[in-house]
Amino acid sequence: MMVKDAMLCLKLRSQGSKNGMEILLVGSFGLVFIMLVNLLRPGLISIVEIFLVSVCLVAVFVGFLKTQEPFYSLIITEQLLTYHHKYGSWSLNRENLHHSGIPKAEHGLEYLELNAVGIKLRDTDDFLMDISPRLAGKLLIEQRHLFMQVVQKHCKNGNCPSEWLVEDNNYTSLNGRKFNGLIAMFANRMRHLQQLTGYDLLLPASVLDRSIWDFSHGLNSWQQNPKLFIQSQLKAKNA
């Protein structure tokens, strides 16, 4: 069946959300089996059985966390890139994407590549007006370790500006638009990230279904020719 152009849509599932139900079931069945064995067999529980119970409990916990993640982490149409998170979602219009790449923290001759895809925006105000405070606050926490990798690379002598370490809850954009609260804190994080790496947003490797280099290249291809990019990806998935 041919897919109409207006319906072209690419759905990507992150590596981090896969096999959640399988891990949960294996852990649960393993836990039940060990408990039944100990009920039917006389004697004290052994160290090996304690270890196996611990492994099963970890599997149940990890599997449960995976099942709480959205089934699709990214949905790409001809006009929109939408990132889905269990605390909300944000959307990026293709016209607002300048380019993507791999963020690097440089200090002298040394540099560090982040395990994430960086996104450079044309208009940050448009993005900030779309993201919810709840999601912005969660991303501030989840992606802090990536941002701190950049900061530490630039602050080996301990001369970090204080605003890099604690985001202000007030922000005024270049267009004069004012933000406050969690959105302002996220905006300040974006500004500092842009100053240090040249990118405004991060998509960690854990939310992607492929390598950061492949996804970055694909995102630039989408920006240049969305129809051709989506068609090629759908064809590859169905092959």
Side-chain angles (χ1 to χ4, degrees):
M1 182 186 299
M2 296 296 291
V3 180
K4 295 182 179 180
D5 291 350
M7 298 296 291
L8 283 178
C9 178
L10 178 63
K11 298 180 179 181
L12 306 179
R13 191 176 181 190
S14 70
Q15 294 291 339
S17 66
K18 291 181 178 179
N19 304 317
M21 185 57 67
E22 291 85 348
I23 295 174
L24 179 61
L25 290 175
V26 169
S28 300
F29 284 133
L31 191 61
V32 171
F33 178 77
I34 295 171
M35 292 176 65
L36 288 175
V37 168
N38 277 276
L39 286 174
L40 299 175
R41 178 179 58 82
L44 298 175
I45 186 171
S46 67
I47 295 178
V48 174
E49 290 170 330
I50 293 175
F51 172 76
L52 292 175
V53 168
S54 301
V55 171
C56 290
L57 288 173
V58 171
V60 169
F61 179 70
V62 171
F64 174 76
L65 291 180
K66 282 177 171 286
T67 59
Q68 300 308 298
E69 298 294 331
F71 191 82
Y72 294 111
S73 58
L74 293 162
I75 297 179
I76 303 175
T77 66
E78 290 188 60
Q79 287 301 320
L80 286 177
L81 163 69
T82 303
Y83 166 54
H84 289 279
H85 189 282
K86 61 183 177 181
Y87 289 96
S89 63
W90 58 250
S91 294
L92 174 64
N93 193 292
R94 184 175 63 86
E95 296 176 353
N96 197 18
L97 172 64
H98 188 279
H99 70 277
S100 68
I102 309 304
K104 297 179 181 178
E106 299 184 17
H107 184 77
L109 298 178
E110 299 179 3
Y111 77 92
L112 169 71
E113 285 187 345
L114 297 185
N115 192 24
V117 171
I119 296 177
K120 171 65 177 174
L121 302 177
R122 297 183 186 275
D123 184 356
T124 57
D125 286 15
D126 184 60
F127 180 85
L128 291 171
M129 292 177 66
D130 178 65
I131 191 171
S132 69
R134 185 171 184 242
L135 178 57
K138 192 63 179 178
L139 293 179
L140 279 170
I141 297 171
E142 289 183 352
Q143 298 182 6
R144 182 170 176 78
H145 71 286
L146 291 170
F147 179 68
M148 290 307 298
Q149 289 180 35
V150 181
V151 171
Q152 290 170 4
K153 202 68 177 177
H154 283 265
C155 303
K156 285 191 172 182
N157 298 324
N159 56 345
C160 283
S162 60
E163 59 267 22
W164 287 2
L165 305 177
V166 181
E167 287 79 14
D168 192 357
N169 60 1
N170 289 288
Y171 175 81
T172 302
S173 71
L174 295 176
N175 297 325
R177 190 180 298 275
K178 295 183 182 297
F179 298 90
N180 53 49
L182 288 171
I183 300 297
M185 295 174 71
F186 190 79
N188 281 306
R189 170 73 64 80
M190 289 174 61
R191 182 181 64 183
H192 300 148
L193 185 67
Q194 199 281 332
Q195 291 172 347
L196 295 172
T197 68
Y199 296 99
D200 302 293
L201 296 174
L202 295 177
L203 280 175
S206 60
V207 308
L208 308 177
D209 70 336
R210 63 199 69 186
S211 73
I212 54 177
W213 297 275
D214 287 344
F215 186 82
S216 173
H217 176 73
L219 205 55
N220 288 324
S221 298
W222 171 71
Q223 199 276 335
Q224 296 168 10
N225 193 329
K227 182 177 179 180
L228 180 61
F229 169 72
I230 295 176
Q231 286 178 335
S232 66
Q233 293 296 306
L234 290 175
K235 183 178 180 180
K237 288 181 68 175
N238 296 327

